[in-house]
Amino acid sequence: MKRTIHTIQLRPTRMGPWIWARWVIVVAALAVALGTSSDGDAQSNGSRTSLRRATELVDTYIARAGREKDPALRQRMLIEGYTALLSLPIERDLRDTAKRLLEISDGLGHFGKDRGLLDEWQWEAVRLFERYLEPERVYRLLHILIDDAHYFEKARRDYEFQRLVDADAREALIDFLSRDEDGKSVGRIKDLCRENRYDLAGFAALKWTDPTWADSRADILGQLGLTRQAETVARESLAADGRKKRAGIEMLTRLAATESRRGDTASVQRLARAVLDDPDSRFVAKSLGLNVSRGPCDSKLWNEWPEWRRRSVGVASSSGLRGEPGPVREISVGAHLGEAIAGAGNAPGSLELIDRLIALQDRDNAENAVDPVNLALLGRKPEGMADEEFQKLLGRYFGHRHVYQASRKSLMLSRFAVGGALDGLSATILTANAAEQTLWDYPHSPIAQRILSLSDLEKERIRRASPNLEPTLRFNALVWEGRGREARSLSAEHPGVHLQFHGDRALLRLVGVLLNAEMKQQAAAMLDAYLEVEPGPDTIAVHFLLMQGRIDRTKAMLRDFLSEGREVFVSVMLLRELEPTLDVSKLEISPRFGEAWEKIENWLSVMDALAWTGSSDEIDLWRRNPPAALASLDEGQRACVQDTATGLEAVALARRGDLEAGLKLVVDRDLKQRGYCLAGREVGGAWRFDYADRPFFDLRYLVQEWVRRGHAVP
């Protein structure tokens, strides 16, 4: 039976629908789709290995492994061979292969290098054969590879769900979710959003009506823009008693936050009044651990640079990459609701609603706060009170005071944003951190305009609280509003002003928040303003420039990176994809600190970038012209560097389809030579090149890359 083996897309970005459409338009018009060269041949010349020949090569390698005398090398070669064979879309019954791999696994124990490699490589193979094998064969292989019944059932259900998604079998999908055999139906709907299947996620959230998961369904519906349906679910809970009523208040508050991020003031105020007019609105003054941050079904566009780095063999050989941070805040439900009201924009009625929330918070404090006098002399309990009771009293007092004070500050900041007066107390609450967090959570917030319209009296109150704060607030607000020239002039007048959280560029990341909110013109203006005051090359700026289709500015910034000896892999990789005919040998790449080891590292990074596009011929030429600094290394380090250069050429050959030629360059390596050559500082302070522990230049990696790139056709 013949099957079509579709190319497996290596697309890291998770975008909302309009963002994805924008991306497609930009890259289609410019014929530089980022990542598309990963799916085809970067070079038309050279031969392509057939699936039959690839299978023969793997079989030969496994047979050779059986004759290997070194037990450690033999074991590694067998792991490589078996996982590679399982990755190939062939008709052969692979149950014996799976059993042999399981035998090795059983003998490894729970720890050790080969243990981790086998687990990782095996799951890479599973992800591949799940794409092309018939379900019965997949189940048989999974049953062998996963001998634990619980984990087998988990893998089986995950596979079954993915099959339904791939087939767009909607009614069958609802039936699968309704059974909810493992309690993961909500998580699976969210996973649909993470994979850009927003339409299918919305269909599932509407059709799957299990009341147990009403709160999660309401959140998903709201995030997908199905506001009325989400509100109906929330109001049904609000009409109940006890926990369900509290759940309804939380649902309406989260929905208000979601609508606020869209700038829909009418919806936000309607939802807020539904909460405040309820007889049990006192609950809003409580801290119920509410999370109103963006959910997986909200459109998201974060910095893609870390994902671009993951294309690098060198980066994958070293340490992991930091993800996006998420704020953790303990404030009341009412404070969250106040932020949502203010975050939607300055509309009539907003101030009145926030004042009602403040009154509820103050009333709750008056009714529930513990008299500090009862705490005696900080550590001396009142006479006759048991120790346990006294400790509870202390905990209740300090816990309540913490929530009350944090919530009161949040509400006062929300009040200021919608036009409330800035008194002496509010002036101590308004900080650059608070303003930036507000804009991060609610891009339609008027707080930047409010800062720029401060009266002279309000400015003086801020100066009393913090002498240098007012110009810093104004400077960041000007950047947010896209007024770069004014911001630059202000910085000339006040040398002490700075971009908020400059090290992590949190202000620049707000461009992505604006894009998420479909505020495209403001996003472009803000990016220009930021680059007006911070013109140097920036990884986050590159992403946003590409999203806006500003290719010339992007290429100029990438070249600036190279001139500074920074981000060499990503810069060369993107430049090549933006300009396929680019001669990389003419790029000016400078060592950042002028060190000899940097020149060698940059030389390898260029080949790493060329390997991503399968440019093996160029790597071969580049490899034959090493930097002069290579001659200064000792023999062991030179061998390490040259092995990596050859290994990258092998990877490029496999990615462009010539698996056999790639394997010839690496199959005879020992265990150490399978790793990428990294520069590291020794104890004495000198830099030295050595092999990384994580292997890439081996049969398993080349075969799986060959399959992922769509070359494994019969």
Side-chain angles (χ1 to χ4, degrees):
M1 180 186 302
K2 290 187 177 181
R3 292 180 302 279
T4 300
I5 309 302
H6 299 287
T7 299
I8 298 173
Q9 299 288 332
L10 301 177
R11 182 172 293 138
T13 316
R14 291 168 180 169
M15 306 177 186
W18 81 265
I19 297 173
W20 180 248
R22 169 68 172 166
W23 179 262
V24 172
I25 291 171
V26 169
V27 298
L30 296 163
V32 292
L34 299 182
T36 53
S37 62
S38 67
D39 301 324
D41 285 339
Q43 299 172 213
S44 59
N45 59 323
S47 60
R48 176 175 298 191
T49 307
S50 68
L51 178 58
R52 179 177 179 179
R53 179 57 179 158
T55 308
E56 292 173 355
L57 292 170
V58 175
D59 285 338
T60 300
Y61 188 82
I62 293 173
R64 176 183 165 188
R67 298 189 298 269
E68 174 59 47
K69 295 181 180 180
D70 182 343
L73 182 57
R74 179 173 64 251
Q75 178 172 274
R76 179 71 64 79
M77 290 176 67
L78 288 172
I79 294 173
E80 293 169 359
Y82 293 148
T83 52
L85 196 59
L86 287 170
S87 303
L88 293 172
I90 55 179
E91 296 291 344
R92 183 191 305 177
D93 187 346
L94 296 174
R95 283 180 290 181
D96 284 343
T97 302
K99 289 176 182 177
R100 290 169 186 162
L101 190 61
L102 181 64
E103 289 174 3
I104 296 175
S105 177
D106 290 341
L108 290 177
H110 297 290
F111 304 101
K113 183 176 180 179
D114 279 359
R115 164 85 277 160
L117 293 176
L118 187 150
D119 290 343
E120 178 187 342
W121 297 350
Q122 174 179 296
W123 282 111
E124 290 289 338
V126 168
R127 281 190 283 268
L128 289 172
F129 71 60
E130 283 183 343
R131 291 295 188 100
Y132 56 75
L133 291 182
E134 292 83 0
E136 295 76 13
R137 293 184 66 192
V138 171
Y139 292 139
R140 286 198 295 266
L141 289 177
L142 288 177
H143 201 275
I144 295 170
L145 294 171
I146 308 173
D147 54 356
D148 183 281
H150 170 75
Y151 288 108
F152 167 74
E153 280 300 310
K154 177 181 180 300
R156 182 191 63 79
R157 285 190 290 265
D158 288 345
Y159 170 65
E160 182 180 349
F161 176 73
Q162 191 59 51
R163 284 185 60 236
L164 295 173
V165 171
D166 292 342
D168 200 28
R170 301 196 168 206
E171 296 302 330
L173 183 69
I174 298 304
D175 180 64
F176 177 90
L177 293 171
S178 299
R179 295 198 305 271
D180 200 19
E181 297 172 349
D182 53 2
K184 291 177 59 178
S185 289
V186 169
R188 288 192 167 99
I189 296 176
K190 293 178 180 178
D191 285 341
L192 290 174
C193 293
R194 294 186 180 99
E195 298 302 326
N196 298 321
R197 296 299 306 271
Y198 295 99
D199 59 332
L200 194 54
F203 178 83
L206 283 171
K207 293 288 187 178
W208 181 52
T209 57
D210 187 341
T212 307
W213 301 101
D215 55 343
S216 296
R217 286 184 56 242
D219 289 348
I220 292 170
L221 291 168
Q223 291 164 21
L224 291 170
L226 302 169
T227 307
R228 288 293 184 181
Q229 294 90 332
E231 187 175 347
T232 299
V233 175
R235 284 181 180 272
E236 288 174 357
S237 291
L238 186 68
D241 297 319
R243 289 186 176 181
K244 282 193 174 182
K245 176 176 284 292
R246 292 195 181 195
I249 290 174
E250 291 185 7
M251 286 185 231
L252 289 170
T253 301
R254 285 195 296 269
L255 184 57
T258 300
E259 292 302 298
S260 180
R261 283 191 278 272
R262 297 190 179 107
D264 189 342
T265 54
S267 292
V268 172
Q269 291 197 9
R270 183 184 69 251
L271 295 165
R273 292 186 190 282
V275 172
L276 287 168
D277 294 343
D278 188 84
D280 291 312
S281 61
R282 66 184 184 279
F283 287 140
V284 302
K286 306 298 183 183
S287 173
L288 304 179
L290 190 65
N291 182 4
V292 298
S293 60
R294 293 173 180 84
C297 294
D298 279 310
S299 61
K300 288 192 193 65
L301 173 63
W302 304 127
N303 178 24
E304 195 172 2
W305 202 275
E307 300 292 351
W308 286 331
R309 283 194 185 113
R310 286 188 177 93
R311 297 177 176 183
S312 163
V313 176
V315 170
S317 301
S318 56
S319 59
L321 295 160
R322 183 176 58 86
E324 293 288 345
V328 178
R329 304 167 65 211
E330 189 174 353
I331 57 176
S332 68
V333 175
H336 282 300
L337 189 56
E339 290 179 353
I341 294 168
N346 195 354
S350 296
L351 191 59
E352 176 258 331
L353 289 170
I354 293 173
D355 282 340
R356 288 179 65 182
L357 289 167
I358 292 174
L360 279 172
Q361 200 75 54
D362 288 343
R363 188 177 73 184
D364 179 78
N365 182 59
E367 293 175 353
N368 295 288
V370 179
D371 187 350
V373 174
N374 288 338
L375 297 178
L377 299 175
L378 286 180
R380 206 174 79 188
K381 66 179 183 296
E383 186 176 352
M385 182 178 287
D387 290 340
E388 184 178 355
E389 183 181 356
F390 182 57
Q391 292 302 320
K392 288 182 179 179
L393 184 67
L394 286 172
R396 177 185 169 192
Y397 172 74
F398 287 115
H400 172 84
R401 290 298 294 175
H402 171 76
V403 172
Y404 171 71
Q405 290 172 355
S407 302
R408 194 66 158 69
K409 288 179 180 179
S410 170
L411 287 165
M412 292 303 294
L413 186 65
S414 298
R415 193 178 193 281
F416 163 77
V418 296
L422 185 77
D423 56 21
L425 177 61
S426 301
T428 63
I429 297 170
L430 182 59
T431 64
N433 185 0
E436 182 270 330
Q437 184 64 57
T438 297
L439 294 171
W440 179 270
D441 291 334
Y442 300 102
H444 290 275
S445 170
I447 194 168
Q449 298 98 313
R450 181 69 178 87
I451 289 170
L452 294 175
S453 64
L454 287 167
S455 67
D456 292 339
L457 179 59
E458 289 174 326
K459 291 178 182 177
E460 181 58 32
R461 286 171 176 163
I462 292 175
R463 292 190 192 102
R464 290 174 189 169
S466 179
N468 298 319
L469 178 59
E470 190 273 330
T472 296
L473 287 170
R474 190 150 42 102
F475 179 71
N476 285 276
L478 286 169
V479 174
W480 170 263
E481 290 294 307
R483 294 156 63 177
R485 291 185 180 180
E486 294 176 64
R488 191 171 61 181
S489 298
L490 180 64
S491 66
E493 297 173 11
H494 301 274
V497 302
H498 61 279
L499 288 167
Q500 176 65 0
F501 296 118
H502 178 270
D504 199 39
R505 289 104 74 217
L507 190 68
L508 177 58
R509 292 171 188 266
L510 289 173
V511 174
V513 175
L514 290 169
L515 287 171
N516 288 336
E518 302 190 32
M519 302 165 71
K520 292 175 276 188
Q521 290 184 344
Q522 188 171 344
M526 182 184 176
L527 181 57
D528 285 340
Y530 185 94
L531 296 176
E532 184 87 23
V533 296
E534 287 286 324
D538 190 287
T539 59
I540 305 174
V542 165
H543 185 191
F544 295 145
L545 286 169
L546 280 172
M547 289 306 304
Q548 295 171 5
R550 300 162 71 177
I551 303 303
D552 290 340
R553 184 71 182 271
T554 300
K555 290 194 289 189
M557 188 169 286
L558 292 171
R559 290 177 184 274
D560 288 342
F561 267 122
L562 294 177
S563 68
E564 296 180 5
R566 298 165 53 203
E567 302 290 355
V568 174
F569 167 81
V570 178
S571 297
V572 174
M573 183 268 296
L574 288 180
L575 281 169
R576 189 54 181 272
E577 293 195 338
L578 293 168
E579 192 176 339
T581 60
L582 174 71
D583 184 354
V584 297
S585 66
K586 295 182 179 179
L587 293 174
E588 296 183 8
I589 306 174
S590 303
R592 187 174 185 182
F593 303 108
E595 298 283 348
W597 64 268
E598 291 180 284
K599 297 178 182 178
I600 300 170
E601 192 175 62
N602 291 343
W603 179 66
L604 291 176
S605 294
V606 171
M607 288 185 283
D608 198 355
L610 292 171
W612 173 255
T613 59
S615 304
S616 56
D617 290 347
E618 287 182 84
I619 293 177
D620 183 56
L621 293 174
W622 194 264
R623 184 169 62 86
R624 297 176 191 279
N625 292 280
L630 185 62
S632 65
L633 301 180
D634 61 44
E635 184 178 353
Q637 292 186 81
R638 284 200 306 273
C640 175
V641 173
Q642 293 286 11
D643 282 344
T644 294
T646 307
L648 290 169
E649 183 179 354
V651 171
L653 284 164
R655 285 172 173 168
R656 82 179 228 195
D658 197 349
L659 176 63
E660 184 169 6
L663 289 175
K664 287 179 180 178
L665 297 178
V666 298
V667 290
D668 293 327
R669 296 191 172 197
D670 60 30
L671 291 178
K672 188 175 183 181
Q673 291 174 307
R674 285 160 159 78
Y676 191 99
C677 193
L678 297 173
R681 192 183 291 275
E682 293 182 308
V683 177
W687 287 87
R688 183 174 181 82
F689 284 92
D690 201 358
Y691 298 97
D693 289 336
R694 188 178 175 84
F696 281 96
F697 307 130
D698 56 31
L699 174 127
R700 186 278 318 174
Y701 183 71
L702 266 61
V703 168
Q704 289 184 341
E705 281 291 278
W706 182 75
V707 175
R708 278 190 283 263
R709 295 297 177 101
H711 300 299
V713 292

